[in-house]
Amino acid sequence: MQRSAPRPSRSRTRNRVRMLACAAVPVMIVAAGCSSDSDDAAKDTDKPAASASKEAPKVAPAKFSSLPADPCKSIAKKTIEDLVPKAKDKSGSSGKSSDISTRGSCSWNGLDDNGVKGSQYRWLDISFMRYDSDTGIGSGQDRAADYYKKEVAKARATEGAKGTKAAPASGVGTEATTVTYSLTKTDESFGYATVVARSENVVITLTYNGAGYAGAKSPAASDLVKGATKATKEAVAAVPGTAG
């Protein structure tokens, strides 16, 4: 006769239920822990995207990366001969620069002595200033535009100048202004024409002046402006990368 398996007592059944319940608790805790780690990981993943959106805005690259290697050659020899007759040095006198890629200058002067008929003195000076783009400061074009305004203001505020006038100079670079005035030096009245021109991130300041000695008439303001404008256009075209 086959015996049936003995039934567990009620007390043993309750103990086994308790053991199963206790065993289930750690599993739930682990599961909860994994879920929390996943949420934290997701949050960490979002952080780089948030910081990337706060990066400094990019600025437009500067158009010109250099200046004429020799500023004295930025104006044609024929133009120098016309504007500064009898120039002491037709090749010009270049100014000192610690970085010729960002700044440069050159000047010419001469006296055309005609004895008792009078003499004509002329002086021509040109300077270049180039700006690079910088994310912390701004684009080269914007920086050059600021310097351009300062140069125009400087020319208009020349000490001792009389009859100062300023007018836009069309067809010269990105923007340009001509400033004219007269100035008394060595008991003579000198006429001045200064052209400040900006070509993208490069600013060119050209000053042309002259006077008549021994009874000779001083140059007319219109002639000075015409000569200064012509020379400035040549200087703008001499910047590497500029279309002539």
Side-chain angles (χ1 to χ4, degrees):
M1 181 175 180
Q2 186 177 9
R3 295 182 179 180
S4 60
R7 293 182 180 180
S9 65
R10 291 184 179 180
S11 60
R12 293 177 60 188
T13 301
R14 283 198 298 269
N15 290 337
R16 294 177 65 183
V17 171
R18 288 175 183 172
M19 292 175 64
L20 291 173
C22 290
V25 171
V27 176
M28 294 175 66
I29 292 175
V30 172
C34 292
S35 176
S36 176
D37 292 342
S38 298
D39 291 341
D40 291 339
K43 291 178 181 179
D44 291 339
T45 304
D46 292 340
K47 288 181 181 179
S51 61
S53 63
K54 296 180 181 179
E55 290 181 358
K58 294 182 179 180
V59 297
K63 181 174 181 179
F64 301 117
S65 59
S66 62
L67 293 175
D70 185 353
C72 295
K73 293 182 179 180
S74 62
I75 300 175
K77 289 184 177 180
K78 180 62 169 61
T79 301
I80 297 299
E81 291 175 358
D82 292 341
L83 300 184
V84 190
K86 306 296 182 178
K88 290 181 180 180
D89 185 353
K90 293 182 179 180
S91 298
S93 176
S94 59
K96 294 181 179 180
S97 174
S98 58
D99 185 357
I100 60 174
S101 69
T102 58
R103 65 177 64 202
S105 63
C106 188
S107 63
W108 300 259
N109 69 83
L111 179 67
D112 186 6
D113 190 349
N114 293 307
V116 295
K117 294 182 179 180
S119 303
Q120 290 291 332
Y121 175 82
R122 296 292 185 274
W123 184 80
L124 178 66
D125 176 85
I126 186 170
S127 66
F128 294 84
M129 183 69 77
R130 186 185 66 82
Y131 289 89
D132 286 317
S133 293
D134 189 305
T135 55
I137 303 176
S139 69
Q141 287 81 337
D142 289 342
R143 296 175 67 195
D146 289 339
Y147 181 72
Y148 164 80
K149 293 176 182 178
K150 292 178 181 178
E151 284 292 274
V152 172
K154 180 180 177 182
R156 298 184 66 173
T158 299
E159 185 177 357
K162 298 179 181 179
T164 302
K165 296 180 181 179
S170 60
V172 186
T174 306
E175 59 180 335
T177 298
T178 299
V179 180
T180 58
Y181 54 89
S182 62
L183 192 63
T184 300
K185 298 190 301 181
T186 62
D187 297 327
E188 299 292 343
S189 179
F190 282 70
Y192 278 76
T194 295
V195 179
V196 182
R198 179 177 72 87
S199 180
E200 299 296 344
N201 60 309
V202 174
V203 176
I204 297 170
T205 303
L206 184 144
T207 297
Y208 181 44
N209 70 69
Y213 286 93
K217 292 183 177 180
S218 293
S222 58
D223 290 336
L224 292 174
V225 170
K226 182 179 179 180
T229 302
K230 182 178 187 299
T232 304
K233 286 182 177 180
E234 293 181 6
V236 169
V239 176
T242 305

